[in-house]
Amino acid sequence: MKKTLALLAVAAMLISAGCGKNDKPAAEVQQNASEAVEQVQQTATEVQENAAETVNNAVNDVQAMIDDAKTAMTNIKNGTGEKTVAALDGIVPGINYETVTAMYGEPISFENQIVQFSNGVDLKVVDDVVKEVSTMYDGIYTPAQVAVGMAENSIAEAYGEATSVENGDNGAVIYKYSSKDNKRALEFVTRNGRISEIKCILNQ
């Protein structure tokens, strides 16, 4: 925008400069200035069109992601979804925040993108999209019926070999399972042979 205004200012100066002693140079200057203004206007239009297209593409991408998450959640609810999908208590990362509040009601806390519900489910929400679902409480299950408090070996029994295994703080072991399309991931944090935390993460 600043560049466009600067070019328009230069064009205006050139037009003003056309009011000199010699009519022929003035006419040429005025023509050149008019061409400069036209070029600036054309560039501004192209910038606006490109910006609008970028915004539309971003909106479409987000909507596609939400629709995909809604489909996955519906399949989980109907019992037709994959057991290994990255979800917790039926919530799939990538869903819009309003869908979760329709299920749970209002949260007990919403601060710095972190949302906490009374049932022990926590969310990370960015621009109305759920980026992460997590819990440190038992009784909240993945589609494969794995929950906090269960034995560490129950993870492999439900999901097979992990995509990666890492050592965390205070003796924690983190098992990560990435989806085939790498859009989402499941993380199981274990301590002393038991699952202590479960996270479902949106990689996009």
Side-chain angles (χ1 to χ4, degrees), residues 8 11 44 46 57 60 64-65 67 69 79 88 115 119 121 139 145 165 168 171 193:
L8 286 172
E46 291 175 356
N57 289 340
N60 291 336
M65 181 172 58
D67 290 343
L88 193 59
V115 186
N119 63 353
V121 171
Q145 297 302 298
V165 181

Side-chain angles (χ1 to χ4, degrees), residues 170-189:
N170 302 320
V173 181
I174 304 168
Y175 297 85
K176 184 173 182 178
Y177 293 82
S178 297
S179 60
K180 292 179 181 178
D181 56 12
N182 204 36
K183 290 181 179 179
R184 302 179 179 90
L186 262 172
E187 283 189 3
F188 297 92
V189 181

